[in-house]
Amino acid sequence: MDDEPDLREIATIALELDPEISVRTCGSGPEALEALAQTTPDLILLDMMMPVMDGPMTFAEIRERFGKKTPVVFITARTSPEDVERLVSLGAHGVIPKPFDPMKLINQVRFFVDHV
């Protein structure tokens, strides 16, 4: 989930190069919560900075509503050690730095799916 349509499109194109990956995108926290009420993905990629509900708020709401069954990885430009530590302390499974490399994104996502 990312509020920037261009980044969602690039991530989708990159991830769908793997025929085993199916992608559903959302442009906001509330949209993601609505989508999660209908499906349980293998992994959630979540932007940290979004309007209405930022990533940590969305993450907290996901955990409250749906529990801990789905791993969450943040994609964010905020990758200082303190920021990463904060996200991991909230229960995130990892952080992928922005700007992300579309050619490496599949491997990064696969790593988190396979090691959770």
Side-chain angles (χ1 to χ4, degrees), residues 23-85:
V23 178
R24 164 104 188 245
T25 63
C26 299
S28 69
E31 186 181 341
L33 294 170
E34 187 177 309
L36 289 168
Q38 301 168 15
T39 187
T40 303
D42 292 327
L43 179 74
I44 298 170
L45 295 176
L46 183 58
D47 188 14
M48 189 161 158
M49 309 269 296
M50 297 181 297
V52 183
M53 291 178 75
D54 68 8
M57 288 174 56
T58 302
F59 182 59
E61 192 65 26
I62 288 169
R63 289 297 183 241
E64 184 175 317
R65 289 189 193 185
F66 308 106
K68 296 184 178 184
K69 48 188 163 173
T70 303
V72 173
V73 174
F74 280 87
I75 295 185
T76 180
R78 298 186 65 181
T79 57
S80 72
E82 296 82 20
D83 287 324
V84 172
E85 184 177 314

Side-chain angles (χ1 to χ4, degrees), residues 72-115:
V72 173
V73 174
F74 280 87
I75 295 185
T76 180
R78 298 186 65 181
T79 57
S80 72
E82 296 82 20
D83 287 324
V84 172
E85 184 177 314
R86 177 175 168 249
L87 295 173
V88 170
S89 74
L90 293 174
H93 287 81
V95 174
I96 296 173
K98 262 187 186 178
F100 59 87
D101 181 341
M103 301 310 292
K104 293 181 181 178
L105 190 59
I106 291 172
N107 291 334
Q108 291 170 308
V109 166
R110 279 263 166 233
F111 173 82
F112 288 114
V113 169
D114 293 342
H115 292 93

